[in-house]
Amino acid sequence: MPLTLGVLGAGQLGRMLALAGYPLGLRFRFLDPAPEAPAGQLAEHLAAEYTDERAWAAFADGLAAITYEFENVPVTAARALAERVPVYPPPAALEAAQDRLSEKRLFQELGLPTPACAPVATRAELEAALAALGWPAVLKTRRLGYDGKGQALLRAPADVEPAWRALAGVPLILEAFIPFERELSLLAVRGRSGETAFYPLVETHHRDGILRLSVVVPGATASADQRQAEDYAARVLRRLDYVGVLAIEFFQHNGRLLANEMAPRVHNSGHWTIEGALTSQFENHLRAVLGWPLGAAAARGPAAMLNLIGDTPAPEAVLRVPGAHLHLYGKAPRPGRKLGHLTVCAETPEALAERLAVLRPLAGFPAELQ
Amino acid sequence: MPLTLGVLGAGQLGRMLALAGYPLGLRFRFLDPAPEAPAGQLAEHLAAEYTDERAWAAFADGLAAITYEFENVPVTAARALAERVPVYPPPAALEAAQDRLSEKRLFQELGLPTPACAPVATRAELEAALAALGWPAVLKTRRLGYDGKGQALLRAPADVEPAWRALAGVPLILEAFIPFERELSLLAVRGRSGETAFYPLVETHHRDGILRLSVVVPGATASADQRQAEDYAARVLRRLDYVGVLAIEFFQHNGRLLANEMAPRVHNSGHWTIEGALTSQFENHLRAVLGWPLGAAAARGPAAMLNLIGDTPAPEAVLRVPGAHLHLYGKAPRPGRKLGHLTVCAETPEALAERLAVLRPLAGFPAELQ
């Protein structure tokens, strides 16, 4: 009997999970309210709300396990489904990651340095937090933020009123603004037996809050940053009795790693692993969720990933570049929408830089990312 | 508008074409009479006979191009569909490959050495051919043979009568038996612009006529064998104005390459390319058919492939082996049926040999292949 895996969310992450899982003999069933969701083009798709209790029975029927690819899946749905079928990563991880305050508190409890922060429910609390943290600072919604949405940078007192008007009404958090040297992302994976694997750190570059470029840090594996990041991630994995891929995003400031946020799922900063690592994050997530041995997470060599936002290049132009790989998600173009990504691999960092120079304009990169 | 590709045949080769094509933003429509065909699990599948003229319109509607993954697709169907939508590889290649005699004649016309052979329609012709070619010889049906079916080895006069009784009634061919040193397979690919790429030679090992193991020949790329095989393949590609992947199987005898047969499609001897080459045979076939630039066909390093016949191992056991990759086709187990394959990659030939030693029993290899 083939194993069928249920996935909450049928976006590009779910689609890439299915593409990694079919060769392993798996079948997939997706639950996602969007009728045109990308994973629905290549697998069974129930178009229903995550909270639709009537859909749960049909969704869960005969599944070997359930995972999710969308971190704003209601925790209530994940917990209810976990009574029928094992759900990994554990719903507690989903819950922790959905609230920026509980996420930061978890990091702090486990000894991970974070940007200074304070919860904000009232205007008075905001003023007090600004006095405590200093300027600049970033006001964020505690929940449902993604790709830079739901946040405002406060550089000076004049920024406070418009930010408050835009964001107030839901629980907020104020975070110290970190003038970081760079942003780094670590992908960790933990199996059902407790086995772990860590991908090399990638340097990530965002614009307007959206990831544009990630580059495997040369020599990451042997670096002190890597050791530090793995140690931090291992603490989170253990505490949450985690199963699956976990992404942790760090600011590096004065050489020090500050944990910024985590995502309890496969992550955009790990898309380079499809061609660039010995085992992709998608395959390793599936192996973890099914209780199978994890695969090696080492990079094959220098690698980078460029997101395709709002528009996609002609396939011919990309495929002409040596070491370049095209990944389109089957989504209709729309400004600001993640439509695909390019991976580029090379034998040397110099060759990678040359290839990236050709691919950046194809990916429509703005000048400051060139 | 996404490009949709039509594929005649929805077996594992079609399934792997779709898995290679989804990241390129392609969609797929398969035509295959088998309701449970493996590609139907992940793409649109019309279950109809290839010769069902009423199904052709529905199948061809809106397709960018049509290809095939099954070499016994009726040529009449390929030609009729080619009047609606471009069909690659060209139906003439399909026609040539479907008849062992026309295939051998094509090789000979192009200067490719082949085993000596003669057409056989009557018992008298068989006796004459045996007198001319000598013993042992192999009597084969000219059409519809695969995986060793439709052939009989004639070692001595006593073998003739039973072979004749088993095979007579359809056009036959007698071929000299070649006591080869080894069997080699070359995968060639040609784009719509005439651009070509060649994968390194693989040594293939069959049992009961079914491919069991293929190993990338160490140092193939720089070898005289590779140059010779590429030259032979290039002649065939040009003559047929070929587009797509073409597999040519050679016997090596007294150091010389003899062209045995060809397959105008992606081929089992090229499955190692999914992880083992810079661009898989499946992606390169799609690139060729769509008129896109071809990808590099070099091996990433030592690699081999083991077929899973009739039964499949526990995924955990395979995935525990470093560098091993599992590919299951979503087919119900049945004796003699190709259910999947394993690819194994390594940094050195020695490490590859060690990993192969672990994987052979998992793939259920008979003792003489150990």
Side-chain angles (χ1 to χ4, degrees):
Chain A
M1 270 297 292
L3 296 175
T4 302
L5 203 69
V7 185
L8 297 165
Q12 61 263 24
L13 301 177
R15 178 177 162 109
M16 289 185 276
L17 281 171
L19 289 172
Y22 280 125
L24 302 176
L26 304 176
R27 304 205 186 180
F28 291 86
R29 186 181 303 143
F30 289 88
L31 180 66
D32 189 314
E36 299 293 322
Q41 291 163 23
L42 48 86
E44 185 184 349
H45 170 210
L46 298 185
E49 296 296 330
Y50 300 117
T51 49
D52 181 347
E53 297 186 22
R54 289 161 309 175
W56 291 346
F59 174 64
D61 182 47
L63 296 180
I66 292 173
T67 188
Y68 43 90
E69 58 97 80
F70 173 61
E71 76 218 57
N72 289 321
V73 165
V75 174
T76 49
R79 288 201 199 283
L81 286 164
E83 287 172 19
R84 301 168 185 258
V85 172
V87 173
Y88 300 111
L94 188 62
E95 188 165 35
Q98 282 181 354
D99 180 342
R100 290 182 188 280
L101 184 67
S102 64
E103 185 179 63
K104 290 278 194 312
R105 293 276 184 262
L106 174 71
F107 290 156
Q108 290 163 356
E109 265 176 60
L110 294 170
L112 280 64
T114 71
C117 62
V120 168
T122 65
R123 182 65 185 263
E125 278 179 11
L126 175 56
E127 299 298 341
L130 277 165
L133 302 185
W135 302 83
V138 191
L139 186 63
K140 301 179 177 179
T141 59
R142 279 171 52 182
R143 306 178 65 83
L144 299 174
Y146 70 98
D147 284 352
K149 292 182 174 55
Q151 46 184 285
L153 176 62
L154 309 182
R155 294 176 186 278
D159 295 334
V160 175
E161 183 54 29
W164 182 254
R165 260 187 272 127
L167 301 176
V170 294
L172 302 173
I173 184 172
L174 188 75
E175 299 179 7
F177 175 82
I178 307 297
F180 54 79
E181 291 98 56
R182 57 179 183 170
E183 285 185 279
L184 295 168
S185 174
L186 184 77
L187 271 90
V189 54
R190 186 170 181 270
R192 277 157 69 166
S193 69
E195 177 191 12
T196 55
F198 301 92
Y199 288 91
L201 282 167
V202 295
E203 188 171 324
T204 56
H205 299 267
H206 295 77
R207 184 163 188 265
D208 299 332
I210 302 181
L211 180 69
R212 296 303 299 254
L213 171 68
S214 63
V215 183
V216 178
V217 174
T221 310
S223 71
D225 287 338
Q226 181 79 24
R227 276 198 306 279
Q228 183 67 79
E230 289 188 10
D231 173 59
Y232 289 157
R235 297 182 206 181
V236 178
L237 293 175
R238 270 195 307 270
R239 166 64 68 93
L240 295 171
D241 197 15
Y242 197 86
V243 172
V245 165
L246 174 77
I248 307 189
E249 294 181 275
F250 296 97
F251 295 136
Q252 189 161 41
H253 183 228
N254 295 331
R256 201 161 154 253
L257 296 181
L258 303 179
N260 176 35
E261 59 182 58
M262 66 178 184
R265 54 167 170 79
V266 289
H267 192 257
N268 196 167
S269 68
H271 290 359
W272 66 274
T273 62
I274 297 177
E275 292 90 5
L278 291 174
T279 312
S280 82
Q281 66 165 342
F282 301 99
E283 180 171 334
N284 256 339
H285 185 75
L286 297 172
R287 291 187 186 209
V289 164
L290 291 164
W292 291 349
L294 302 182
R300 292 179 190 272
M305 188 235 43
L306 305 89
N307 266 345
L308 302 174
I309 311 287
D311 199 6
T312 60
E316 299 90 313
V318 172
L319 298 176
R320 198 168 285 127
V321 181
H325 300 271
L326 176 64
H327 294 265
L328 298 177
Y329 305 150
K331 293 160 80 173
R334 199 161 68 204
R337 197 174 201 202
K338 287 182 182 172
L339 300 178
H341 72 268
L342 310 180
T343 305
V344 56
C345 302
E347 297 287 311
T348 64
E350 295 71 28
L352 188 75
E354 278 174 29
R355 293 171 183 182
L356 268 174
V358 179
L359 292 173
R360 280 178 160 121
L362 292 176
F365 271 28
E368 66 270 31
L369 275 175
Q370 292 292 340
Chain B
M1 270 297 292
L3 296 176
T4 302
L5 203 69
V7 185
L8 297 165
Q12 61 264 22
L13 301 177
R15 178 177 162 111
M16 290 185 275
L17 281 171
L19 289 171
Y22 280 125
L24 302 175
L26 304 176
R27 305 204 184 180
F28 290 86
R29 186 182 303 143
F30 289 89
L31 179 66
D32 189 316
E36 299 293 321
Q41 291 162 24
L42 46 86
E44 184 184 350
H45 170 209
L46 298 185
E49 296 296 330
Y50 301 116
T51 49
D52 181 349
E53 297 187 23
R54 289 160 311 173
W56 291 347
F59 173 65
D61 182 48
L63 296 179
I66 291 173
T67 189
Y68 44 90
E69 58 98 81
F70 173 61
E71 77 217 57
N72 288 322
V73 165
V75 173
T76 48
R79 287 199 199 284
L81 286 164
E83 287 172 18
R84 300 167 186 257
V85 172
V87 173
Y88 300 112
L94 187 63
E95 188 165 34
Q98 282 181 354
D99 179 342
R100 290 182 187 279
L101 184 68
S102 65
E103 186 179 63
K104 290 279 194 312
R105 293 275 183 263
L106 174 71
F107 290 156
Q108 290 163 356
E109 263 177 61
L110 295 170
L112 280 64
T114 70
C117 62
V120 168
T122 65
R123 183 67 186 263
E125 278 178 10
L126 175 56
E127 300 296 342
L130 278 165
L133 301 185
W135 302 83
V138 190
L139 186 63
K140 301 179 177 179
T141 59
R142 279 171 52 181
R143 305 178 66 85
L144 299 174
Y146 70 98
D147 285 350
K149 290 181 175 56
Q151 45 184 282
L153 176 61
L154 309 182
R155 295 178 186 277
D159 295 334
V160 174
E161 183 55 30
W164 183 254
R165 261 187 272 128
L167 301 176
V170 294
L172 302 174
I173 184 173
L174 188 74
E175 298 179 8
F177 174 82
I178 307 296
F180 53 78
E181 292 97 56
R182 58 179 183 171
E183 285 185 278
L184 295 168
S185 174
L186 184 77
L187 271 90
V189 53
R190 185 168 181 271
R192 276 155 70 164
S193 69
E195 177 191 10
T196 56
F198 301 92
Y199 288 91
L201 282 167
V202 295
E203 189 171 324
T204 56
H205 299 267
H206 296 76
R207 184 166 188 263
D208 299 333
I210 301 180
L211 180 68
R212 296 303 299 253
L213 172 69
S214 62
V215 183
V216 178
V217 173
T221 311
S223 71
D225 287 338
Q226 181 80 24
R227 276 198 308 279
Q228 183 67 77
E230 289 187 10
D231 172 59
Y232 289 156
R235 296 181 207 180
V236 178
L237 294 175
R238 269 194 308 272
R239 166 64 69 90
L240 295 171
D241 198 14
Y242 198 86
V243 172
V245 166
L246 174 76
I248 306 189
E249 294 181 276
F250 296 96
F251 295 135
Q252 191 161 41
H253 183 229
N254 295 329
R256 200 160 155 254
L257 296 180
L258 303 179
N260 176 36
E261 58 182 59
M262 66 178 185
R265 54 166 170 80
V266 290
H267 192 257
N268 197 168
S269 67
H271 290 358
W272 66 273
T273 62
I274 296 176
E275 293 91 5
L278 292 173
T279 312
S280 81
Q281 66 164 341
F282 300 100
E283 180 171 335
N284 256 339
H285 185 75
L286 297 172
R287 291 187 185 208
V289 165
L290 291 163
W292 292 349
L294 302 183
R300 293 180 191 271
M305 188 235 42
L306 305 89
N307 266 345
L308 302 174
I309 311 287
D311 199 6
T312 61
E316 300 90 314
V318 172
L319 298 175
R320 200 168 285 127
V321 181
H325 300 271
L326 176 65
H327 294 265
L328 298 176
Y329 305 150
K331 293 159 81 172
R334 198 161 68 204
R337 198 174 200 201
K338 287 182 181 173
L339 301 177
H341 72 268
L342 309 180
T343 305
V344 56
C345 302
E347 297 287 312
T348 63
E350 295 71 29
L352 188 75
E354 279 173 28
R355 293 170 183 184
L356 269 174
V358 179
L359 292 172
R360 280 179 161 120
L362 292 176
F365 271 30
E368 67 270 30
L369 275 175
Q370 293 290 341

